[in-house]
């Protein structure tokens, strides 16, 4: 009876604390999100008014005073832009709390039918996008001073309201005291960083306006690190390079000539903030659940004692207490390991992104299934838009799934090893463990035995002593047929256990890698059924075609040469010399032509005068061979005279002959 009264007293105490926490709760986050739509729309309108359209529309003829204004404001270049990457990353960090707010009950205070939840989430996602649109637009706008001023005016109210709400109402229902401080500090830190960034932009814009700093050209096609990457490709590889350290070989090797785009950095930051919030919620909710289980266990104890139940029910109570205790400790321990595993996956995906892009730049596609070698253009571009959201969702869901798998493995380990030792049944445990290990060892040993017997008796000798292995040629065929016959029956029995082991291994590995969007969890030939992996392949192909340093460098050279030809200022990325005189340029071209023809005589057949006379030469049956002979003769004559005659005469004689 006393235990029941104590249990009721503890319940009343918990409910009183919950009521205090509940009184402190408010919907300031949702209200701030709703109220920020008006200034966000006004800022978007101002930036759109400043932006001029490159192509005039019909409305410009009707309203000529607009002068092409109200252009499209781009919040973030998710493909080619590599500037302000960490600023955009912190902007995504500020968004993370509102993205998780979409799935809470506070955002939908009214009841909606289940089929309409997808529409509500779509409207909520659009609302979050519009509310945080000024942060991204003010960072990306070419009007730096206006963007900085609007960014400061917009970020200050967000910081003030968020900090005031966190200080005045720090408690919560899940984490108790200081819940908002624990949860909201990444968002507050991101907002403060953005405010500092906008202040820096304003100061720099003022200095440029006063001509204290040179204005930077933001119209270049290529970045400095891409130029350095191309220079490294053209540079000879040193014979004796510095050996890599253990960290570089096993963990990560830093590449100063590679930069992750804004989309990847923003995705990683939101994933990490989401994992942080998910881990806190998981830890708090698990404590609440286990506390309720303890209360039910105490109630069951009291009922068993008061009703004088049988000894069977009384014997189940200690086992239930033991299970609850083991489950609580296992869940807490696996929470830490699952969080570390998800964080490691998040950073490992960065390494895989760089590794896969570098392989595509080299023309290596062997790591991709053959059916994905030429993905659809529409799928690749759509994958750019899908990747970030899918990666975040895969990371959060993967944490929960991996946590549950870790929890089951921890329970298995405790009940198989730890508890038998604590209960004095170590000998029985070791006996059972020895039987299991011996069975598995025998199965593996018989598999190895078959390979060894084939290697010794049923393969022919090496063709050369330097060969690494014997050729795939049978020896002692009659003995091999007998060997194959008698082992057939044993392999049937062994195949049953291997089939079950294969299924269990596939389940464990599939659930363990569910958050790895860069690796398919489907069998070979069914990769297209893995939508996450298809998104990853489409995304890296889109980035490969748009950001390949060699292609971008080539386009930069073409554009810079065109600008020089039109007597305009060239890009500052390459040191372009003034246009040469016609005589020097012609001599340079002739030298290049001579060198090319000497190194590749067969190209003479592809020149214009040979192609134009190919129809007349085709009438003679010996014309192709004669033409080839003439090409090689001209090349040899030119090579013998190149030290005597100038290049203009050599090339002219070759053309005339």
């Amino acid at each position: 009876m006393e235990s029941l009264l104590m249990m009721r007293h503890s319940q009343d105490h918990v409910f009183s604390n919950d009521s205090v926490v509940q009184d402190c709760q408010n919907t300031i986050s949702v209200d701030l999100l709703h109220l920020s739509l008006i200034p966000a729309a006004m800022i978007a309108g101002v930036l759109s008014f400043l932006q001029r359209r490159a192509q005039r529309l019909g409305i410009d003829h009707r309203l000529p005073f607009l002068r092409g204004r109200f252009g499209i404001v781009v919040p973030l270049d998710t493909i080619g832009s590599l500037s302000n990457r960490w600023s955009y990353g912190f902007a995504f960090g500020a968004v993370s709390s509102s993205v998780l707010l979409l799935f809470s009950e506070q955002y939908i205070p009214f009841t909606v039918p289940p089929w309409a939840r997808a529409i509500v989430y779509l409207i909520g996602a659009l609302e979050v996008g519009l509310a945080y649109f000024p942060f991204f637009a003010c960072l990306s706008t070419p009007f730096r001073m206006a963007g900085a001023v609007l960014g400061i005016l917009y970020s200050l109210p967000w910081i003030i309201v968020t900090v005031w709400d966190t200080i005045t109402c720090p408690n919560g229902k899940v984490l108790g005291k200081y819940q908002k401080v624990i949860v909201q500090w990444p968002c507050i830190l991101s907002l403060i960083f953005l405010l500092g960034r906008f202040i820096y932009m304003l100061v720099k814009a003022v200095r440029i306006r006063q001509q204290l700093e040179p204005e930077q050209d933001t119209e270049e096609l290529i970045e400095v690190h891409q130029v350095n990457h191309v220079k490294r490709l053209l540079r000879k590889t040193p014979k004796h390079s510095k050996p890599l350290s253990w960290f570089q070989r096993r963990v990560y090797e830093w590449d100063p000539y590679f930069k992750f785009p804004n989309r990847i950095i923003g995705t990683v930051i939101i994933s990490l903030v989401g994992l942080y919030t998910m881990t806190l919620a998981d830890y708090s909710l698990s404590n609440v659940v286990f506390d309720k289980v303890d209360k039910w266990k105490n109630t069951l104890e009291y009922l068993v004692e008061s009703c004088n139940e049988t000894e069977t029910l009384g014997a189940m109570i200690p086992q239930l207490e033991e299970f609850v205790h083991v489950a609580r400790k296992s869940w807490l321990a696996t929470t830490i390991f699952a969080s570390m595993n998800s964080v490691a996956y998040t950073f490992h995906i960065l390494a895989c992104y760089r590794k896969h892009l570098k392989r595509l730049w080299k023309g290596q596609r062997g790591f991709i299934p053959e059916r994905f070698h030429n993905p659809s253009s529409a799928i690749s571009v759509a994958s750019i838009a899908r990747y970030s959201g899918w990666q975040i969702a895969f990371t959060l869901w993967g944490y929960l799934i991996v946590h549950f798998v870790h929890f089951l493995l921890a329970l298995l380990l405790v009940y198989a090893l730890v508890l038998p030792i604590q209960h004095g049944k170590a000998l029985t445990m070791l006996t059972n463990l020895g039987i299991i290990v011996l069975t598995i060892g025998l199965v593996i040993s018989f598999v190895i035995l078959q390979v060894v017997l084939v290697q010794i008796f049923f393969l022919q000798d090496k063709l050369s002593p330097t060969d690494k292995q014997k050729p795939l040629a049978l020896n002692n065929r009659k003995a091999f047929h007998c060997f194959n016959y008698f082992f057939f029956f044993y392999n049937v029995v062994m195949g049953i256990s291997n089939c079950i082991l294969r299924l269990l291994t596939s389940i464990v590995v599939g659930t363990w890698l569910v958050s790895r969007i860069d690796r398919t969890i489907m069998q070979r030939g069914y990769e297209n059924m893995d939508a996450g992996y298809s998104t990853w392949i489409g995304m890296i192909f889109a980035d490969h075609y748009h950001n390949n340093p060699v292609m971008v460098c080539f386009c930069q050279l073409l554009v810079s040469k065109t600008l020089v030809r039109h007597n305009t200022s060239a890009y500052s990325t390459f040191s372009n010399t003034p246009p040469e005189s016609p005589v020097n340029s012609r001599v340079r071209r002739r030298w290049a032509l001579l060198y090319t023809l000497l190194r590749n005589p067969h190209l003479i057949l592809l020149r214009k005068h040979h192609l134009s006379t190919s129809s007349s030469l085709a009438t003679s049956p010996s014309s192709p061979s004669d033409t080839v002979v003439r090409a090689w003769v001209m090349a040899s004559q030119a090579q013998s005279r190149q030290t005597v005659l100038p290049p203009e005469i050599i090339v002219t004689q070759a053309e005339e002959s």
Side-chain angles (χ1 to χ4, degrees):
M1 190 67 181
E2 293 179 357
S3 61
L4 182 60
L5 291 175
M6 293 177 60
M7 182 183 65
R8 288 182 177 178
H9 177 71
S10 62
Q11 289 178 352
D12 294 338
H13 179 69
V14 172
F15 291 152
S16 63
N17 288 339
D18 290 344
S19 62
V20 172
V21 173
Q22 182 66 26
D23 294 336
C24 185
Q25 285 292 317
N26 50 45
T27 59
I28 188 65
S29 301
V30 181
D31 295 338
L32 179 61
L33 187 65
H34 295 331
L35 294 176
S36 62
L37 296 179
I38 298 176
M42 295 175 61
I43 292 175
V46 171
L47 295 178
S48 178
F49 175 77
L50 296 175
Q51 186 76 37
R52 293 180 183 270
R53 295 188 299 273
Q55 185 178 3
R56 296 299 180 91
L57 302 177
I59 193 174
D60 296 323
H61 300 287
R62 298 180 183 179
L63 303 174
F65 61 88
L66 292 178
R67 297 180 181 179
R69 297 188 182 275
F70 291 103
I72 298 177
V73 180
V74 179
L76 174 65
D77 184 0
T78 57
I79 297 179
S81 178
L82 295 173
S83 59
N84 293 333
R85 296 181 303 153
W86 289 107
S87 299
Y88 288 119
F90 279 99
F92 278 111
V95 177
S96 58
S97 60
S98 296
V99 171
L100 299 177
L101 186 65
L102 291 175
F103 302 97
S104 65
E105 297 180 356
Q106 296 179 358
Y107 186 77
I108 310 177
F110 51 89
T111 304
V112 295
W115 59 268
R117 283 189 172 271
I119 301 176
V120 174
Y121 289 147
L122 175 61
I123 297 174
L126 296 176
E127 182 182 7
V128 171
L130 180 58
Y132 288 91
F133 182 84
F135 291 117
F136 295 94
C138 292
L139 288 172
S140 62
T141 180
F143 306 97
R144 312 301 291 174
M145 185 174 294
V149 173
L150 294 175
I152 292 172
L153 295 177
Y154 191 72
S155 57
L156 269 177
W158 272 87
I159 295 175
I160 294 172
V161 174
T162 306
V163 172
W164 178 79
D165 176 53
T166 304
I167 295 176
T168 57
C169 182
N171 301 331
K173 293 188 297 184
V174 179
L175 296 179
K177 290 185 178 181
Y178 307 111
Q179 172 179 324
K180 288 189 177 180
V181 178
I182 297 173
V183 175
Q184 291 291 339
W185 74 264
C187 178
I188 296 174
L189 178 63
S190 301
L191 291 172
I192 293 174
F193 179 89
L194 289 177
L195 178 62
R197 178 64 183 177
F198 289 133
I199 294 174
Y200 172 78
M201 289 171 53
L202 180 60
V203 173
K204 189 172 183 179
V206 171
R207 290 178 60 85
I208 292 175
R209 177 66 63 88
Q210 295 178 354
Q211 297 182 355
L212 298 177
E213 290 186 12
E215 186 174 1
Q216 296 180 353
D217 188 7
T218 58
E219 298 293 332
E220 295 184 359
L221 297 178
I222 193 168
E223 300 286 342
V224 177
H225 70 279
Q226 293 176 330
V227 176
N228 294 330
H229 175 80
V230 176
K231 289 181 179 179
R232 182 174 60 181
L233 294 178
L234 298 176
R235 197 179 300 124
K236 289 185 178 180
T237 305
K239 295 182 179 179
H240 303 286
S241 58
K242 185 179 179 181
L244 300 177
S245 62
W246 178 89
F247 184 84
Q248 292 174 329
R249 285 185 284 105
R250 299 296 180 90
V251 182
Y252 187 75
E253 181 184 359
W254 178 257
D255 187 359
Y257 304 144
F258 184 91
K259 289 186 177 181
F260 295 97
N262 304 325
R263 178 186 68 256
I264 301 297
I265 293 179
T267 303
V268 169
I269 290 179
I270 293 184
S271 298
L272 293 177
V273 175
L275 282 174
Y276 173 75
T277 307
M278 184 75 72
T279 303
L280 292 177
D282 183 9
Y283 173 74
S284 304
L285 292 176
S286 62
N287 282 335
V288 173
V289 170
F290 284 117
D291 288 340
K292 289 184 177 181
V293 172
D294 286 334
K295 296 174 186 177
W296 295 338
K297 177 176 62 65
N298 295 332
T299 305
L300 181 61
E301 255 181 45
Y302 173 74
L303 293 176
V304 170
E305 292 176 0
S306 61
C307 298
N308 296 324
E309 292 292 337
T310 59
E311 296 181 357
T312 305
L313 292 177
M316 291 176 59
I317 298 299
Q319 297 179 1
L320 181 60
E321 291 180 353
E322 185 182 62
F323 176 78
V324 172
H325 176 73
V326 170
R328 181 190 286 269
K329 299 298 182 181
S330 300
W331 188 267
L332 176 61
T334 53
T335 299
I336 301 173
F337 287 105
S339 301
M340 295 173 59
N341 183 77
S342 298
V343 171
Y345 277 172
T346 303
F347 287 106
H348 184 70
I349 287 174
L350 288 177
C352 290
Y353 174 81
R354 190 188 69 172
K355 179 175 64 176
H356 291 177
L357 268 188
K358 282 189 171 183
R359 288 179 178 177
L360 289 179
W361 291 349
K362 295 178 182 179
Q364 301 174 358
R365 301 189 180 185
F367 67 97
I368 300 175
E370 188 175 356
R371 62 181 59 195
F372 289 110
H373 281 189
N374 295 303
S376 171
S377 301
I379 294 177
S380 297
V381 175
S383 299
I384 292 287
R386 289 200 308 260
Y387 168 73
S388 297
W390 284 31
Q391 180 65 73
I392 295 167
F394 276 50
T395 302
L396 299 182
W397 273 110
Y399 163 76
L400 296 177
I401 296 173
V402 169
H403 189 189
F404 185 72
V405 173
H406 286 183
F407 174 68
L408 295 180
L409 294 178
L411 287 180
L412 180 62
L413 179 64
V414 170
Y415 275 93
L417 298 178
V418 179
L419 290 182
I421 297 176
Q422 290 182 352
H423 295 163
K425 299 180 180 179
L427 184 59
T428 306
M429 181 268 296
L430 292 176
T431 303
N432 296 330
L433 184 62
I435 294 174
I436 296 174
V437 172
L438 181 60
T439 304
I440 297 175
L442 287 176
V443 172
I444 296 175
S445 62
F446 277 115
V447 173
I448 298 175
L449 177 63
Q450 296 182 46
V451 177
V452 172
L453 291 177
V454 170
Q455 176 73 19
I456 296 175
F457 299 105
F458 304 124
L459 286 180
Q460 297 181 9
D461 296 334
K462 294 181 179 180
L463 300 178
S464 174
T466 58
D467 292 343
K468 294 183 179 180
Q469 58 182 359
K470 293 183 177 181
L472 188 58
L474 285 177
N475 193 14
N476 301 324
R477 287 177 175 266
K478 294 182 178 181
F480 174 74
H481 294 324
C482 296
F483 166 83
N484 194 14
Y485 173 78
F486 285 105
F487 268 94
F488 167 77
F489 304 100
Y490 176 74
N491 287 328
V492 172
V493 179
M494 191 172 60
I496 297 175
S497 59
N498 279 302
C499 179
I500 299 174
L501 182 62
R502 179 191 181 193
L503 179 61
L504 294 176
T505 305
S506 177
I507 293 173
V508 172
V509 173
T511 53
W512 209 300
L513 299 177
V514 69
S515 59
R516 290 282 302 277
I517 198 173
D518 63 299
R519 184 183 294 271
T520 180
I521 60 174
M522 304 299 292
Q523 297 292 333
R524 184 175 181 179
Y526 298 92
E527 296 92 351
N528 56 345
M529 298 177 65
D530 190 346
Y533 184 69
S534 301
T535 300
W536 171 267
I537 295 297
M539 185 264 298
I540 62 174
F541 266 98
D543 284 346
H544 163 61
Y545 283 118
H546 285 83
N547 297 322
N548 192 323
V550 178
M551 291 192 292
V552 176
C553 182
F554 176 72
C555 295
Q556 177 73 75
L557 288 173
L558 291 180
V559 172
S560 60
K561 291 295 184 182
T562 304
L563 291 176
V564 169
R565 187 175 301 172
H566 288 282
N567 296 324
T568 57
S569 60
Y571 291 107
S572 60
T573 306
F574 296 91
S575 56
N576 297 302
T577 57
E580 301 174 349
S581 63
V583 177
N584 292 335
S585 61
R586 185 178 63 179
V587 171
R588 185 181 295 274
R589 289 196 302 269
R590 288 181 176 273
W591 265 114
L593 175 62
L594 171 64
Y595 187 80
T596 304
L597 294 180
L598 289 177
R599 293 290 183 179
N600 306 278
H602 60 278
L603 295 179
I604 299 177
L605 304 178
L606 303 178
R607 305 201 64 199
K608 288 184 178 180
H609 63 277
H610 283 288
L611 294 176
S612 60
T613 58
S614 59
S615 58
S616 60
L617 293 175
T619 57
S620 176
S622 60
S623 58
S625 59
D626 293 341
T627 306
V628 174
V629 172
R630 289 175 58 200
W632 283 99
V633 169
M634 286 188 291
S636 60
Q637 290 177 355
Q639 189 172 7
S640 62
R641 302 180 192 177
Q642 62 180 346
T643 57
V644 181
L645 298 178
E648 296 90 343
I649 300 176
I650 297 175
V651 177
T652 303
Q653 290 182 358
E655 292 177 349
E656 291 177 354
S657 62

